[in-house]
Structures are given as C-alpha cells and as structure tokens.
Amino acid sequence: MLKEIWEQPRAVTDTTLGRVSLDSGKVFLGEMEIADEELKRAESINIAACGTSWHAALTGKYMIERLARLPVDVDYASEYRYRDPIAGPDALGLLITQSGETADTLAAQREMKALGLKTVAICNVVGAMVAREAHGAIYTHAGPEIGVASTKAFTAQLTALFLLAMKLGQLRGHLDKARSVELMEELGRVPAKIEEVLKGRSAQLEALAKEFATARDFLYLGRGIHFPIALEGALKLKEISYIHAEGYPAGEMKHGPNALIDETLPVVVLATRDEADPASKLRYEKTLSNIQEVTARSGRVIAVATEGDATIGELVEHVITIPPAPELLAPLIEIVPLQLLAYYIAVRRGCDVDQPRNLAKSVTVE
C-alpha cells in the first residue's frame, strides 16, 4: 500500500499523458466511441460506482457541474437498479471502477443500457468487462493496484474525471482557450505537489499516528468538493486499521454529530482554500467556524490546510499543510496525507494493511 501511495504522482501524470494539448488546452479522449456531438447533447449524467470509486464519483460531480454546467446524479451501483431510476433520452451513463469487473457496477451499467443510455467507463484495467460493454472508455493509467485499499487508482480516477469535465466544458462552450490552458497547467503541477506532500509530511504523519493509534473513533469533516475526500479518508482508516471512522459534511455538525465530540475524539478537518476563488474562501471561513465548535467542546482537531495559512495554526492542535492548488484540483493532493495517516495508524496497530480482514480487491459477487 505504501508503495502505491508513493506511485500517485506517476499515476496522475500517466493518466493525463497524450490526452491534452498544452498549447490549446483541448482534451482528447481517444478511446471514446461516442462522438463529440453526442457528448455535447448530453443533458445530464448518471454516475454509478462502489466504495472508493463512489467517492471519486461524488468529487467528479463537483468538477463536471462547475466546468460543464451539466447536472450530475451519483448512485451507489448496488442501489441503482433497485430505485427504478429515471433517465432522460439525452442522459449519459458513467461507470467508475478500478477493476472493471465489479458485479454491482456491471449490473448498474446494464440497467442504464436497458433505459437507452449511452455509457462511458472509467476503468484501470484494459479490456475489462465494464469497458467492453461501454460505448466509450477512459482508462486510468495507474498500473496494477495490489493493495485492497485503493489509493493510486483513486487519484487516477479523479484525474480522468477532471479531464472529462474539461472536455464537456469545452464542448458546451463554458471553457474558453485561456481558461483551459490555465487549468491544464495547474493539473500539470499536481504530481510535483503530491510528491512534496509525500516527502515533506510523512514523518509528521507517522508521529501523529503514534499519538492517535489508540483512538476508538474518528470524525472526518469537509465542505463542498472536500466532503467526498473526508468520506474517502474515513474509509481508508476503517478499511485497514479497523477503527470506526465517519466522514460528514462540516455544515451538518449541528444536526447530530456535535453530540459525539469530547476530549477523546480526533476530528480530521479539510480546511484548504483557493485564494483565487471567492466561493472557496467563503467555505474556508465557514469551516473555521466548525473547527471552533469542535475545540470549544474539547475535541482534538487535525487540520489539513494550505501552506501559508497562519490563522488555522492558532485554532487547532495539529496542522498538516499541502501546497496551494485550485479548488477543483485540491482533492488530488489533500487525500494523500489522509492515506498516509491511515497507513501509519494501521501499521502501529499491527494490522495487515495490504490484505485487510473480510475484504477483497475486486468484488465480483453481489
């Protein structure tokens, strides 16, 4: 698992390679059998996925809606068939899966096709069933992922979703050349920023793991596009350390979870900000307010914040900083310290991080 966490800069680079023009900012998705005109006509997107891929789907929803102004519904693949889904004639189906063989995701894909939807698969395994049955595939080039808890496949999925969001935004006229080139340049900087976190924060996270390895529960909080990353951080800890962890929208704390907070509860808060984005700065201010609510109740806060943020260090016990990035790309970087924290806690607890109990890498049965 640690090896695959460290392979994430390469996974992001390889998933981007050959798909973008740095001169024009245009995105080229060569494996797609759906014509650009059909993609342009899409009026909505229905995404189905499981586990970590579902968290990628939730993150992708923010990317697509922001860059392409296209409504997105996200379903657990295991629930999609059973809710009698409604799909318009110009909806597009999107399946996200590392293995491409997940039984529930394949069943959701077949339901979409039965409803008349064209389907696209984001998949890490060339020639997998989900890609063969789709009208187009976007392969993530993460390389084989052996650890049961997905890490590099997740960041590669986020990269693929960002490229798809850009492609749709360009086709629908919401992204001009200047903005496209700017976003491509920012995406090109992400691998180096991930590497900076890996090299510069590992020792700090190992020390934090020593302090919090005996905790019985964890709470992870995020707002907006950072909420799915909170969910993914909690899932990583659950999967490999067997500590109960829950991801929650930071704004929902008053609606129940505040009752859980005491001096024994570690609360991991995603509190990054994009200085160029007014909406991001507003969410950051709201998140600071949530942090103050936690500390007022003696909760122990571990904050993931942007480098140069002097304010947050005065409020919380522990701060893990990441390099600044645009709001839509920050998730690719901020997930890395959460993966490392889960890994080091699990190792300290003596757990088998690569083969967690009761779990399989590819869930091929319902």
Side-chain angles (χ1 to χ4, degrees):
M1 181 180 176
L2 187 62
K3 171 179 173 286
E4 288 166 359
I5 290 172
W6 276 78
E7 287 171 353
Q8 287 176 115
R10 172 58 65 87
V12 173
T13 298
D14 288 352
T15 300
T16 308
L17 206 61
R19 287 177 166 155
V20 297
S21 164
L22 293 178
D23 294 330
S24 66
K26 283 194 174 180
V27 176
F28 303 96
L29 301 176
E31 304 102 327
M32 297 280 280
E33 295 170 21
I34 302 175
D36 284 357
E37 278 304 312
E38 285 187 89
L39 285 177
K40 186 178 178 179
R41 281 200 306 270
E43 293 183 353
S44 64
I45 295 182
N46 294 2
I47 310 181
C50 301
T52 286
S53 296
W54 185 73
H55 298 152
L58 286 175
T59 312
K61 172 184 170 73
Y62 288 93
M63 294 174 175
I64 294 167
E65 292 190 340
R66 179 83 175 268
L67 296 180
R69 308 308 298 159
L70 193 63
V72 178
D73 284 331
V74 179
D75 278 274
Y76 284 110
S78 56
E79 292 291 324
Y80 184 75
R81 292 181 289 166
Y82 303 114
R83 70 171 178 87
D84 195 13
I86 301 168
D90 289 315
L92 181 69
L94 180 60
L95 296 310
I96 306 175
T97 161
Q98 189 282 138
S99 68
E101 306 289 344
T102 305
D104 287 318
T105 306
L106 286 166
Q109 181 181 34
R110 288 161 189 164
E111 180 72 15
M112 289 177 180
K113 291 170 75 175
L115 291 168
L117 275 65
K118 291 281 182 75
T119 64
V120 175
I122 292 178
C123 176
N124 194 42
V125 179
V126 176
M129 182 70 76
V130 74
R132 293 202 306 270
E133 294 196 10
H135 299 89
I138 305 171
Y139 286 111
T140 53
H141 299 297
E145 188 178 62
I146 307 305
V148 168
S150 184
T151 52
K152 65 177 182 175
F154 177 69
T155 44
Q157 286 169 350
L158 295 186
T159 306
L161 283 159
F162 187 76
L163 293 174
L164 178 61
M166 281 199 61
K167 175 77 171 177
L168 291 166
Q170 290 166 358
L171 290 173
R172 292 168 58 81
H174 295 290
L175 277 182
D176 60 19
K177 178 182 175 181
R179 179 64 174 148
S180 294
V181 170
E182 181 188 347
L183 289 171
M184 277 301 114
E185 289 174 347
E186 289 290 355
L187 179 59
R189 296 183 186 108
V190 166
K193 291 177 180 181
I194 293 175
E195 197 152 337
E196 182 183 329
V197 173
L198 289 166
K199 290 179 178 177
R201 310 294 181 268
S202 291
Q204 179 191 6
L205 288 157
E206 197 167 0
L208 281 176
K210 182 177 180 181
E211 185 171 346
F212 290 102
T214 57
R216 295 184 60 186
D217 304 277
F218 266 75
L219 190 60
Y220 288 70
L221 303 178
R223 280 179 179 269
I225 198 170
H226 311 287
F227 165 53
I229 306 306
L231 291 173
E232 175 62 10
L235 178 61
K236 288 283 96 59
L237 190 69
K238 277 184 280 201
E239 284 180 307
I240 63 171
S241 76
Y242 317 139
I243 294 173
H244 170 255
E246 185 174 4
Y248 223 81
E252 292 293 299
M253 288 294 289
K254 292 185 180 73
H255 299 277
N258 273 348
L260 297 172
I261 297 171
D262 61 19
E263 65 280 355
T264 68
L265 181 71
V267 182
V268 179
V269 184
L270 295 167
T272 56
R273 64 181 175 189
D274 177 0
E275 288 291 349
D277 186 337
S280 173
K281 291 167 75 174
L282 175 62
R283 278 188 290 272
Y284 168 79
E285 296 295 335
K286 299 286 187 184
T287 301
L288 288 185
S289 174
N290 295 126
I291 287 172
Q292 289 168 328
E293 289 176 9
V294 174
T295 55
R297 293 166 174 81
S298 303
R300 306 185 65 188
V301 176
I302 303 167
V304 178
T306 307
E307 283 176 1
D309 184 347
T311 305
I312 204 159
E314 299 171 3
L315 298 177
V316 306
E317 195 174 349
H318 302 285
V319 182
I320 306 157
T321 59
I322 67 167
E327 181 83 346
L328 295 181
L329 289 171
L332 281 84
I333 306 165
E334 65 192 10
I335 186 56
V336 177
L338 304 189
Q339 293 168 343
L340 287 170
L341 181 64
Y343 171 81
Y344 287 124
I345 286 176
V347 168
R348 183 157 285 277
R349 288 166 66 91
C351 303
D352 184 345
V353 294
D354 295 330
Q355 291 290 330
R357 67 191 183 203
N358 308 330
L359 299 177
K361 181 63 186 168
S362 180
V363 183
T364 55
V365 294
E366 287 192 47

